[in-house]
């Protein structure tokens, strides 16, 4: 595994762009990932309360071989509408899976629960997520902010504000790895009562404070602190991507391995209260020299990259403007101002 790349964002992977739509009054938002060309993708769900769309077609034995976009959204099940807005934006551009003379954009997605964060959810008959998805798709580019933005706008953890995080690196195989995550965990990204991140061993360039781990490591509380919301009311959702040429089966294995990035960054994770879901996508720019060992090394790099992205999501977040909003890492521990 090697150093981070220029942006230290998932858009360092050639062939994709990211757009966000953020509504601070709502306390929620949408993040979408658009692929320049249809991308091979799969998904793995480990949480007990997921909210997903179009994930069955990502199984290796299903007919559709590639996708056009992915949405990560707040809003719980209401947020599944975000994909319809992304589909509308793609349809306007003539992008879709051909079915006779019709084109159908393939847009899987996952949602997190942010309905109780103090934002104004009195949206009337229809939730705003379709429009937010459309806005996010039309805002897609190579550079984007982190923290309280897009799908991470209303995200929280057990002890401090969650958010949107991203990171990238160059794998020892020569392939580029990227991760994008909205951290809304039942558990914590930080050691109990400390500013130190569980992801510290993977940090590069002081990207989330350069604090390392405390010495000696403290004993962990039993039981661990949990957010205390019901099943399905917490969820960390992510996309990991590479420029490698992968089959759907290989993308599935990458998604499976990537969950170790959650385990390195969040404690506890994959609980019955979470809906933890990871998509894996390959933009197909660089062949594997060895289909087994290269995939293993890419998987290991992906774990490290996703763990870093989880910490950046919390480190970069600001508290929502609503009264009584959950404090951010900076509110609790200080640190340099956000750029």
């Amino acid at each position: 595994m090697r150093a981070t790349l220029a942006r230290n964002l998932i858009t360092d992977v050639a062939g994709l762009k990211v757009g966000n739509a953020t509504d601070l009054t709502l306390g929620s938002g949408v993040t979408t990932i658009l692929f320049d060309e249809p991308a091979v993708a799969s998904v793995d769900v480990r949480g007990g309360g997921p909210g997903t769309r179009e994930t069955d077609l990502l199984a290796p034995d299903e007919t559709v071989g590639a996708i056009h976009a992915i949405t990560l959204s707040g809003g719980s099940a209401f947020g599944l509408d975000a994909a319809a807005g992304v589909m509308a934006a793609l349809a306007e551009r003539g992008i879709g899976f051909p079915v006779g003379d019709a084109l159908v954009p393939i847009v899987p997605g996952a949602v997190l629960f942010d309905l109780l964060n103090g934002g104004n959810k009195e949206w009337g008959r229809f939730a705003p997520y379709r429009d937010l998805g459309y806005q996010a798709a039309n805002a897609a580019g190579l550079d984007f902010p982190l923290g309280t933005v897009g799908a991470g706008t209303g995200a929280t953890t057990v002890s401090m504000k969650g958010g949107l995080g991203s990171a990238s690196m160059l794998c020892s195989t020569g392939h580029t790895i990227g991760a994008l995550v909205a951290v809304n965990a039942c558990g914590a990204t930080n050691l109990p009562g400390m500013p130190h991140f569980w992801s510290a061993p993977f940090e590069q360039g002081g990207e989330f404070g350069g604090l390392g781990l405390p010495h000696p490591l403290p004993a962990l509380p039993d039981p661990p602190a949990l957010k205390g919301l019901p099943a399905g009311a917490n969820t960390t959702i992510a996309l990991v991507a590479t420029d490698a040429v992968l089959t759907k089966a290989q993308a599935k294995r990458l998604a499976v391995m990537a969950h170790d990035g959650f385990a390195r960054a969040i404690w506890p994770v994959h609980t019955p209260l979470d809906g933890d879901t990871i998509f894996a996508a390959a933009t197909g720019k660089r062949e594997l020299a060895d289909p087994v060992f290269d995939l293993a090394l890419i998987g290991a790099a992906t774990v490290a990259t996703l763990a870093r992205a989880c910490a950046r999501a919390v480190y970069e977040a600001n508290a929502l403007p609503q009264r009584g909003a959950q404090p951010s890492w900076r509110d609790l521990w200080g640190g340099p101002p956000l750029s």
Side-chain angles (χ1 to χ4, degrees):
M1 294 181 286
R2 302 180 186 174
T4 57
L5 298 168
R7 294 183 182 87
N8 198 19
L9 299 172
I10 194 172
T11 47
D12 285 319
V13 176
L16 61 82
K17 296 179 177 66
V18 172
N20 289 304
T22 302
D23 187 329
L24 292 176
T25 301
L26 177 70
S28 190
V30 172
T31 298
T32 189
I33 304 91
L34 304 184
F35 298 100
D36 296 344
E37 299 174 359
V40 172
S42 193
V43 67
D44 191 63
V45 179
R46 296 294 171 99
T52 57
R53 179 185 188 275
E54 293 273 53
T55 52
D56 283 353
L57 62 78
L58 297 176
D61 59 334
E62 299 300 333
T63 301
V64 175
I67 65 171
H68 303 100
I70 286 174
T71 60
L72 307 177
S73 179
S76 188
F78 296 103
L80 294 174
D81 286 350
V86 177
M87 287 183 70
L90 294 178
E92 289 177 346
R93 305 174 197 182
I95 296 172
F97 179 76
V99 184
D101 293 334
L103 290 174
V104 181
I106 306 300
V107 186
V111 296
L112 56 81
F113 184 96
D114 57 7
L115 300 180
L116 301 177
N117 60 15
N120 180 12
K121 306 303 193 295
E122 298 295 326
W123 49 59
R125 177 170 293 175
F126 296 111
Y129 292 97
R130 182 180 65 177
D131 290 337
L132 289 170
Y134 183 82
Q135 293 171 27
N138 285 326
L142 296 178
D143 294 299
F144 58 94
L146 303 180
T148 305
V149 65
T153 301
T156 57
T157 73
V158 65
S159 55
M160 64 190 77
K161 181 74 177 69
L164 187 75
S166 191
S168 67
M169 72 184 308
L170 185 66
C171 183
S172 59
T173 62
H175 297 91
T176 302
I177 311 298
L180 180 70
V181 61
V183 177
N184 186 60
C186 179
T189 59
N190 296 72
L191 277 71
M194 295 183 174
H196 307 272
F197 289 90
W198 289 112
S199 303
F202 302 104
E203 186 176 11
Q204 300 203 17
E207 61 194 339
F208 41 90
L211 299 176
L213 290 172
H215 181 76
L217 286 172
L220 296 180
D222 184 22
L226 297 174
K227 196 189 294 182
L229 294 177
N234 316 278
T235 288
T236 300
I237 50 179
L239 166 69
V240 297
T242 176
D243 60 356
V245 177
L246 299 182
T247 65
K248 285 177 76 175
Q250 289 170 321
K252 173 68 175 183
R253 178 50 49 188
L254 185 60
V256 170
M257 290 186 69
H259 273 281
D260 285 353
F262 284 177
R264 296 287 188 176
I266 302 167
W267 183 72
V269 74
H270 302 146
T271 75
L273 304 170
D274 290 291
D276 301 325
T277 299
I278 298 178
F279 297 96
T283 60
K285 306 296 183 182
R286 187 183 181 96
E287 296 279 355
L288 300 180
D290 184 300
V292 175
F293 286 97
D294 275 10
L295 184 60
L297 292 171
I298 288 171
T302 298
V303 168
T305 305
L306 182 54
R308 291 166 44 221
C310 289
R312 294 190 80 196
V314 173
Y315 180 74
E316 297 284 350
N318 287 316
L320 287 173
Q322 286 78 14
R323 179 179 298 179
Q326 191 177 47
S328 69
W329 183 91
R330 281 176 170 74
D331 291 331
L332 295 173
W333 306 108
L338 292 170
S339 58

